[in-house]
Amino acid sequence: MALQSLDIKQRSATTTPSPQARQTVEIAKLIDVSACIGCKACTAACIEWNDIRGDVGNCVGVYDNPVDLSADAWTVMRFTETEQNNKLEWLIRKDGCMHCADPGCLKACPAPGAIIQYSNGIVDFHQENCIGCGYCVTGCPFNVPRMSQKDNKAYKCTLCSDRVAVNQAPACAKACPTGAIQFGAKEDMKDYAEKRIADLKERGYDKAGLYDPQGVGGTHVMYVLHHADQPKLYAGLPDDPSISPLVSLWKGAAKPLATLALAGVALGSLFHYVTKGPNEVSKEIEDEIEREDERQLREEAK
Amino acid sequence: MTNHWVDIKNADLVFVMGGNPAEAHPCGFKWVIEAKKQRKARLVVVDPRFNRTASVADYYAPIRSGSDIAFLSGVINYLLSKDKIHHEYVKHYTNASFLIDERFALEDGLFSGYNAEKRSYDKESWKYQFDKDGYARVDETLQDPNCVFQIMKKHYARYTPEVVTRVTGTPTDAFLKVCEYIAETAAPNKTMTNLYALGWTEHSVGAQNIRSMAIIQLLLGNMGMAGGGINALRGHSNVQGITDQCLYSDALPGYLGAPLDADIDRKTYLEKRTPKAMRPNQMNFPQNFPKWWTSLMKAWYGKEATPENDFCYDWLPKRDLSYDVLNMFDRMYQGKMSGFVCQGFNPLASVANKKKVGDALAKLKYLVIMDPLVTETSEFWKNHGEVNPADPASIQTEVFRLPVAFFAEESGTCTNSGRVVRWHWKAVDGPGESKGDAEIMAHLYQTLKHMYAKEGGAFPDPILKLSWPYRIADEPSPEELLMEISGKALTDLHDPKDATKLQVKGGDQLASFGFLRDDGSTACGNWIYSGAWSQAGNLTLRRDSSDPSGLGQTLNWGFAWPVNRRILYNRASADLAGKPWDASRTVLKWTGSAWGGNDIPDMRPNAAPEEGVMPFIMNPEGVARLFARDLMADGPLPEHYEPFESPLETNPMHPKNTKAKSNPVSRIFKGDLEVFGTAKDFPYVATTYRLTEHFHFWTQHSKINAILQPEHFVEIGEELAREKGIKAGDKVKVRSNRGYIKAVAVVTKRIKALDVDGRKVHTVGIPITSGFVGRTKPGFLTNTLTPAVGDANTHTPEYKAFLVNIEKV
């Protein structure tokens, strides 16, 4: 649940206006890919702080473990080997939620209050309100949210909203040994990025730049890239991400229809329960009756 | 490290070779990033693999594993032939001008004095020429054909860029580019730091790899400078500390050479280890050896150690041969050892040739393991299937496992790579019956002592009369131990120049080793740690990070040995007159009456520049040794030799001399020679290394680490993968002549085939972080593959260059 120190900017599927009396500072996490050594300290810190544990997986022929984001892995390192200007490069990108200013997940979400955007910019999932529809997965232009197999709810990076609320940096930023993950006010992060970009340009990376894509209104997780002209190089980081037109439609012109559709979804769920639920129960009851019959038969045989 | 972690930020060039700090030292690596961000420093990496460090480097050059000396010798040739050296520094602060015995020679890969039968050198011809006063002769014009500078010019002229490329496989343009980066730091106000680790040590020429770099740093004038130095990055958090306290069987604490069989009495022993100055006016600091040794004996034997009994010299064990790890396991393998106490060590996984180690352990009567976690060694007898196919029924060794506390479960000190000693506090009690190492050792000692007292024994005195002044005999506290190591006055100490002046009150802790005496009036468990706990208290507790110079010297943070000095040889950061070579990074300067600046002077504090006291005070020459005279087993100058398992038939430097193919004085055990493989059966060069996600074989017990890196893999280049029909993710079998492992294939652009001496050489990279106990997927031990041959000086095994074959399973 939201902490008192986190003002809410918007809630999914809610029309009630949010408080506006005070303005909090917009924060951002800046990931300087040029200073990242892929040590995975951030991944470990994330697992530790958020108390999530996936399964011990397998090596699939690359350094990437965990292999992908999951309900138990909210950030992963993606390693890409590429040759640029006849020079081998090993690009290592920390992947996870970008905390968009205009979040596709929140827009797509039909469950009131399941997705919250705080006024500091953090986009947070509140699983107690999540209905497990998976629309946030479709709505995300970065392919970040994941459904849990355990409770069928969606999970992703919270930008450590619990830490930020008490003036602490996210666990990943705190753990990063090289300072590749910086955290602070978004404006300060942009200033810092500018210096890093100037340094990269001086080292021959002419196209170095900041990744803060405007298609989603900018993000609260930004990257310094050596090749800002080719975000795709970095394990498929979208060149120009935007919210799916379907989601925009859903929240835009078709809103009345959407409300209707939401009702439809809810109704569908109800039907699902009504039709599927009793089936399962009856099967169990049948089995029970059968076992009971067998017992009686055996006892009679004695 | 001659310098320290934070000092890396002062470098203009960070040169990484023989190490992969981003992978193995990610926390310390922050200072490399800091140097790049704040100083616009360049980062250059030379390695067989484009590794995590290379991923953030400005320049990367590939090299064939095991050919580093050829590469570095090529750099030296570049610097000498293009005159890119720091002339004043080389002339005054190194032995470039010293004259060497006229008989010295290098012929077809062998230095003068070689004895093929003994595989050793008679080093008489490697010494200086001395004048009638006993001082080394010099030619300050550096023109005499027998002076070190001219010998070096001749020696290194052979390592042309073409030769370097032929031997190392490094493309010539890449080699020259690296040379250019390095040569820029010959300017007096430019420095290069060198970061290396086991990538240089673990070769049959390991010590000479590092010597090569030392020569480069001296030619460039980078020793003693902020942002310079030779910086060995240590692996375990406290391996520096354990080395200082005497990890090696050939040393007593503080690197005091341990006595040999031939050292029949104290006088003989001390005379051999107490050098005379080789040039006038030099400090020749090791002349104090008798003070350090005598104070150590007083710490160990207290009142029992007297001048009359040679301070118990006879009670010290005298070495008959080397007790390095390879020799130890060879003796065990031969059935010459009955018991083995294995403290914080996992030899089945860590020592070369796992099969031999397992067979050796099976010949023991008993094996005691002291470790916080279950280790592979403690289960060497257990059948773990293919990864450890042991037959318990045939093994009689009795194994005892003593659970030991982790570092956070006891208080004490840790010494980091930069020699900074810091106290840490116990956070929690260890689980179950675990105990601290000191407690276990104390208990063992008490038991032995009582047995000797009760039952007698062959030579009870060294055990029965050991000084044991601890409050709780079974549990010496870390505070008591550090105070003992640091040292105290046993009686009142008076100024040697003025007997009326009381220097130190009897019973007081000493401020430094400057107060140690050889008459039994002082006790000190380790002279280099002297002052860590002075009358001012426990200095390792200090946590003041204030840094007035901005150089990261933080003199009030912990305690750095020796005497809280942060940069060794710092007198060399200033010119002859005492003016810093680079005033913007002043480490030391002559103030007119004393040495001042931002560090503890590595020099007599009042030695005026006119006195001509040279900066390398630990050398009897007073200067640094480009030419190591008779101090190395395998030559006074580094020479390229092939690894013992080489893809080449001969040493390209000496194709006609089979004796000079590999290190001609490395020790080879019978039985190991037979299991060397040849390029015919094992055509690929293998090299081993760590991964960030794991600490050796330990963190496989931790679930988070296991999630981050779950399963053993090997890395091969795309070309080799194509040839062998191997795809990323395939299971592969890697064989050497000593065994095989199976792992997942990582196919990468980051390992390229190299053109070496006219043939294509592929490299197979094998992480060592795999084992069969813990939460990761059970894996093979990488040391199943490695050969048990080591460096001629240190006997560190050649883990980094050997031959394998690979196939898809």
Side-chain angles (χ1 to χ4, degrees):
Chain A
M1 287 301 287
L3 291 154
Q4 288 303 306
S5 51
L6 288 170
D7 286 352
I8 291 170
K9 189 175 175 191
Q10 52 174 329
R11 305 167 81 233
S12 55
T14 309
T15 47
T16 321
S18 297
Q20 320 222 333
R22 64 175 187 172
Q23 186 59 50
T24 46
V25 174
E26 253 185 83
I27 52 85
K29 175 160 82 184
L30 179 71
I31 301 170
D32 179 359
V33 176
S34 72
C36 173
I37 52 175
C39 71
K40 302 187 189 170
C42 54
T43 320
C46 177
I47 293 174
E48 191 105 54
W49 177 259
N50 293 300
D51 205 14
I52 44 179
R53 299 286 187 282
D55 294 329
V56 174
N58 285 86
C59 174
V60 297
V62 282
Y63 275 50
D64 308 39
N65 278 102
V67 174
D68 193 12
L69 294 168
S70 75
D72 298 316
W74 299 350
T75 185
V76 296
M77 308 305 291
R78 300 198 187 275
F79 296 77
T80 307
E81 296 175 357
T82 178
E83 270 174 48
Q84 297 296 315
N85 310 318
N86 296 321
K87 207 179 139 202
L88 179 61
E89 290 184 23
W90 198 12
L91 306 175
I92 307 169
R93 178 169 69 86
K94 171 185 168 358
D95 194 11
C97 177
M98 299 294 287
H99 297 272
C100 309
D102 189 7
C105 56
L106 189 147
K107 271 200 171 154
C109 178
I115 301 181
I116 303 281
Q117 186 179 42
Y118 300 118
S119 60
N120 65 11
I122 293 179
V123 178
D124 212 354
F125 284 11
H126 284 203
Q127 281 78 17
E128 71 277 16
N129 296 331
C130 173
I131 58 170
C133 67
Y135 282 20
C136 54
V137 179
T138 323
C140 174
F142 296 97
N143 184 26
V144 166
R146 294 290 186 274
M147 303 302 294
S148 167
Q149 302 291 319
K150 287 179 208 143
D151 63 5
N152 199 37
K153 288 173 187 291
Y155 289 86
K156 67 156 191 76
C157 158
T158 68
L159 207 66
C160 285
S161 54
D162 50 351
R163 293 175 61 88
V164 174
V166 292
N167 209 20
Q168 296 283 307
C172 57
K174 174 104 177 162
C176 177
T178 64
I181 307 175
Q182 299 281 328
F183 180 79
K186 182 161 180 177
E187 281 312 305
D188 293 346
M189 292 297 102
K190 281 180 164 174
D191 289 348
Y192 180 85
E194 234 168 74
K195 282 189 216 130
R196 293 299 306 134
I197 291 159
D199 178 60
L200 287 170
K201 287 190 168 157
E202 190 263 335
R203 286 172 203 271
Y205 296 103
D206 299 335
K207 308 284 186 198
L210 180 70
Y211 186 80
D212 178 25
Q214 294 310 304
V216 291
T219 51
H220 293 92
V221 172
M222 305 183 290
Y223 290 109
V224 170
L225 303 176
H226 338 59
H227 310 289
D229 56 330
Q230 308 173 72
K232 272 230 152 57
L233 277 182
Y234 300 81
L237 186 64
D239 285 338
D240 189 14
S242 62
I243 301 173
S244 156
L246 287 175
V247 175
S248 299
L249 190 72
W250 160 267
K251 287 283 163 166
K255 190 152 187 184
L257 288 174
T259 314
L260 209 64
L262 176 61
V265 170
L267 213 57
S269 305
L270 185 64
F271 278 130
H272 179 78
Y273 175 79
V274 167
T275 52
K276 203 180 168 196
N279 273 351
E280 279 174 1
V281 172
S282 68
K283 180 79 170 72
E284 275 172 23
I285 292 168
E286 268 172 29
D287 289 347
E288 185 61 23
I289 290 167
E290 266 174 33
R291 279 195 295 277
E292 194 65 24
D293 287 347
E294 273 171 22
R295 232 187 344 264
Q296 275 176 4
L297 280 170
R298 275 200 302 275
E299 271 172 20
E300 278 166 16
K302 282 179 194 168
Chain B
M1 293 171 95
T2 59
N3 294 39
H4 55 94
W5 282 109
V6 184
D7 178 66
I8 296 169
K9 74 171 182 160
N10 297 318
D12 299 296
L13 174 64
V14 180
F15 181 61
V16 178
M17 186 172 171
N20 182 4
E23 186 95 42
H25 304 85
C27 292
F29 194 74
K30 70 159 72 72
W31 300 110
V32 176
I33 297 288
E34 196 68 7
K36 288 186 75 175
K37 281 184 189 168
Q38 309 298 347
R39 267 196 88 80
K40 301 235 169 281
R42 289 330 198 225
L43 169 63
V44 172
V45 174
V46 180
D47 200 275
R49 298 178 304 129
F50 188 103
N51 53 29
R52 274 177 160 120
T53 308
S55 79
V56 290
D58 294 278
Y59 196 76
Y60 162 79
I63 184 175
R64 170 173 65 107
S65 191
S67 65
D68 302 64
I69 289 178
F71 190 103
L72 297 170
S73 296
V75 173
I76 295 170
N77 180 45
Y78 180 96
L79 300 175
L80 290 174
S81 60
K82 298 213 181 301
D83 199 25
K84 296 279 189 190
I85 64 171
H86 187 336
H87 287 274
E88 288 298 294
Y89 191 106
V90 170
K91 189 172 157 189
H92 299 294
Y93 296 167
T94 75
N95 68 355
S97 60
F98 283 51
L99 302 187
I100 303 298
D101 191 302
E102 287 175 1
R103 293 167 298 168
F104 169 76
L106 173 73
E107 271 170 43
D108 212 7
L110 297 170
F111 292 96
S112 43
Y114 186 61
N115 182 328
E117 213 168 285
K118 288 191 188 160
R119 289 183 65 78
S120 71
Y121 282 108
D122 170 358
K123 303 174 193 168
E124 272 309 304
S125 63
W126 303 1
K127 294 180 176 172
Y128 298 135
Q129 298 180 23
F130 289 96
D131 64 17
K132 59 180 178 5
D133 299 323
Y135 290 126
R137 294 181 59 209
V138 300
D139 170 26
E140 288 198 343
T141 68
L142 307 181
Q143 295 307 311
D144 190 302
N146 291 314
C147 83
V148 167
F149 192 69
Q150 292 302 328
I151 290 173
M152 281 178 65
K153 275 189 133 173
K154 192 176 144 205
H155 183 84
Y156 285 107
R158 298 169 296 136
Y159 291 93
T160 60
E162 296 69 34
V163 167
V164 170
T165 295
R166 192 151 64 78
V167 178
T168 64
T170 309
T172 306
D173 58 341
F175 167 72
L176 289 173
K177 184 85 188 152
V178 175
C179 287
E180 282 168 30
Y181 274 114
I182 292 175
E184 275 180 36
T185 69
N189 63 348
K190 290 262 183 221
T191 57
M192 161 173 80
T193 182
N194 158 248
L195 309 181
Y196 81 92
L198 299 178
W200 270 350
T201 317
E202 291 174 347
H203 288 278
S204 52
V205 291
Q208 297 282 17
N209 281 335
I210 300 153
R211 279 246 331 123
S212 299
M213 194 64 215
I215 291 171
I216 292 173
Q217 288 292 60
L218 289 169
L219 291 175
L220 297 166
N222 286 333
M223 297 302 292
M225 298 285 287
I230 297 276
N231 297 304
L233 312 181
R234 312 301 311 261
H236 303 227
S237 67
N238 195 24
V239 75
Q240 182 66 51
I242 196 175
T243 315
D244 300 339
Q245 297 307 336
C246 84
L247 171 69
Y248 302 117
S249 58
D250 60 354
L252 301 174
Y255 306 97
L256 303 179
L260 299 166
D261 264 358
D263 302 318
I264 50 161
D265 53 20
R266 170 172 172 257
K267 189 165 166 281
T268 317
Y269 166 72
L270 291 181
E271 261 173 18
K272 261 209 263 178
R273 286 164 182 80
T274 311
K276 290 185 181 58
M278 291 180 168
R279 293 288 298 159
N281 303 327
Q282 300 312 308
M283 282 184 75
N284 182 29
F285 208 65
Q287 66 175 298
N288 297 305
F289 189 95
K291 299 175 186 172
W292 309 332
W293 181 83
T294 308
S295 300
L296 171 65
M297 297 308 283
K298 289 300 287 182
W300 282 358
Y301 288 109
K303 289 195 180 73
E304 297 289 337
T306 62
E308 291 70 37
N309 69 1
D310 266 359
F311 295 103
C312 304
Y313 176 78
D314 294 341
W315 294 358
L316 286 179
K318 310 294 180 298
R319 248 173 349 118
D320 49 349
L321 42 86
S322 178
Y323 287 85
D324 61 273
V325 72
L326 290 181
N327 202 7
M328 200 159 58
F329 275 94
D330 193 61
R331 285 167 69 80
M332 198 188 291
Y333 184 71
Q334 292 173 35
K336 290 179 182 165
M337 282 169 72
S338 52
F340 186 53
V341 180
C342 188
Q343 183 182 10
F345 184 30
N346 188 2
L348 191 73
S350 301
V351 177
N353 195 352
K354 181 223 168 199
K355 170 87 171 61
K356 183 176 173 180
V357 174
D359 290 350
L361 292 169
K363 288 178 183 162
L364 291 171
K365 211 171 134 201
Y366 66 92
L367 168 65
V368 181
I369 306 275
M370 291 171 62
D371 210 280
L373 297 164
V374 175
T375 64
E376 279 80 4
T377 304
S378 73
E379 300 206 344
F380 82 94
W381 50 271
K382 198 169 167 182
N383 189 301
H384 281 266
E386 199 179 12
V387 294
N388 194 52
D391 171 23
S394 68
I395 297 170
Q396 303 306 318
T397 314
E398 191 172 359
V399 181
F400 301 89
R401 285 207 286 226
L402 307 183
V404 171
F406 265 112
F407 69 93
E409 293 161 359
E410 55 182 347
S411 295
T413 63
C414 256
T415 306
N416 74 10
S417 304
R419 298 166 286 102
V420 178
V421 192
R422 281 174 306 177
W423 191 266
H424 63 83
W425 292 266
K426 177 176 177 169
V428 287
D429 285 328
E433 291 179 282
S434 62
K435 287 183 165 54
D437 285 89
E439 197 181 339
I440 295 175
M441 297 310 280
H443 193 78
L444 186 62
Y445 166 68
Q446 291 297 336
T447 308
L448 283 171
K449 187 176 166 182
H450 290 139
M451 285 172 76
Y452 268 108
K454 218 168 117 190
E455 301 167 25
F459 188 29
D461 283 356
I463 297 275
L464 289 179
K465 294 182 177 169
L466 190 68
S467 167
W468 202 263
Y470 314 111
R471 206 166 50 84
I472 304 170
D474 261 358
E475 222 177 307
S477 73
E479 288 84 358
E480 286 171 312
L481 294 171
L482 184 59
M483 286 178 85
E484 177 182 317
I485 287 168
S486 182
K488 65 178 177 184
L490 298 171
T491 60
D492 285 353
L493 301 182
H494 296 276
D495 189 340
K497 286 175 200 139
D498 179 1
T500 61
K501 240 195 203 159
L502 181 69
Q503 259 185 342
V504 185
K505 225 166 60 206
D508 278 3
Q509 289 292 116
L510 298 173
S512 82
F513 46 64
F515 297 98
L516 296 179
R517 308 274 171 101
D518 60 2
D519 58 2
S521 56
T522 56
C524 174
N526 187 337
W527 73 280
I528 58 175
Y529 279 61
S530 187
W533 192 312
S534 66
Q535 278 305 101
N538 180 357
L539 301 188
T540 72
L541 286 171
R542 298 184 299 178
R543 293 293 187 277
D544 179 353
S545 60
S546 57
D547 175 24
S549 67
L551 294 173
Q553 289 289 76
T554 59
L555 297 179
N556 293 316
W557 178 277
F559 173 86
W561 72 257
V563 290
N564 203 30
R565 185 176 295 134
R566 307 289 158 145
I567 297 179
L568 299 182
Y569 317 119
N570 55 28
R571 162 66 182 91
S573 70
D575 65 12
L576 273 186
K579 196 169 139 266
W581 298 113
D582 179 6
S584 73
R585 283 177 289 187
T586 297
V587 185
L588 224 61
K589 63 180 174 199
W590 178 250
T591 60
S593 57
W595 287 95
N598 299 307
D599 203 353
I600 310 297
D602 201 349
M603 175 59 36
R604 180 157 48 81
N606 61 354
E610 315 70 272
E611 289 185 47
V613 188
M614 290 295 134
F616 293 83
I617 65 168
M618 290 304 289
N619 292 348
E621 296 97 323
V623 296
R625 290 184 286 259
L626 296 166
F627 186 96
R629 47 184 174 92
D630 57 346
L631 296 169
M632 303 287 284
D634 43 4
L637 287 172
E639 177 66 1
H640 168 75
Y641 298 112
E642 286 293 312
F644 274 85
E645 287 191 341
S646 160
L648 310 181
E649 269 139 37
T650 58
N651 179 348
M653 297 302 295
H654 312 287
K656 292 200 188 100
N657 189 357
T658 53
K659 285 195 189 88
K661 183 186 174 188
S662 298
N663 193 331
V665 294
S666 274
R667 182 191 58 196
I668 305 168
F669 295 114
K670 205 183 161 319
D672 287 325
L673 187 65
E674 290 71 29
V675 289
F676 285 143
T678 62
K680 196 170 130 274
D681 304 317
F682 303 97
Y684 310 120
V685 174
T687 191
T688 63
Y689 42 89
R690 270 208 220 168
L691 294 175
T692 300
E693 293 90 336
H694 285 293
F695 179 77
H696 286 197
F697 324 98
W698 257 27
T699 52
Q700 288 149 19
H701 289 276
S702 150
K703 183 154 189 199
I704 294 180
N705 295 73
I707 289 169
L708 301 183
Q709 213 304 299
E711 191 176 15
H712 201 195
F713 65 77
V714 300
E715 292 183 274
I716 54 171
E718 291 176 337
E719 195 179 338
L720 178 61
R722 264 198 306 278
E723 277 176 27
K724 291 282 183 175
I726 296 166
K727 289 193 296 296
D730 283 350
K731 199 85 175 186
V732 291
K733 186 174 182 179
V734 180
R735 288 183 299 122
S736 81
N737 212 24
R738 292 156 292 276
Y740 71 86
I741 63 162
K742 288 177 183 169
V744 176
V746 167
V747 177
T748 175
K749 294 182 199 299
R750 297 177 294 100
I751 300 181
K752 298 264 191 253
L754 297 172
D755 181 10
V756 179
D757 203 19
R759 74 193 71 188
K760 189 169 274 183
V761 172
H762 291 287
T763 297
V764 177
I766 313 171
I768 61 164
T769 46
S770 159
F772 53 78
V773 296
R775 304 176 86 157
T776 48
K777 298 274 181 300
F780 286 79
L781 293 172
T782 296
N783 278 321
T784 307
L785 303 170
T786 51
V789 64
D791 175 78
N793 300 278
T794 64
H795 306 303
T796 301
E798 191 154 53
Y799 295 123
K800 299 294 187 191
F802 54 96
L803 295 178
V804 296
N805 206 337
I806 186 168
E807 64 199 299
K808 193 174 158 179
V809 178

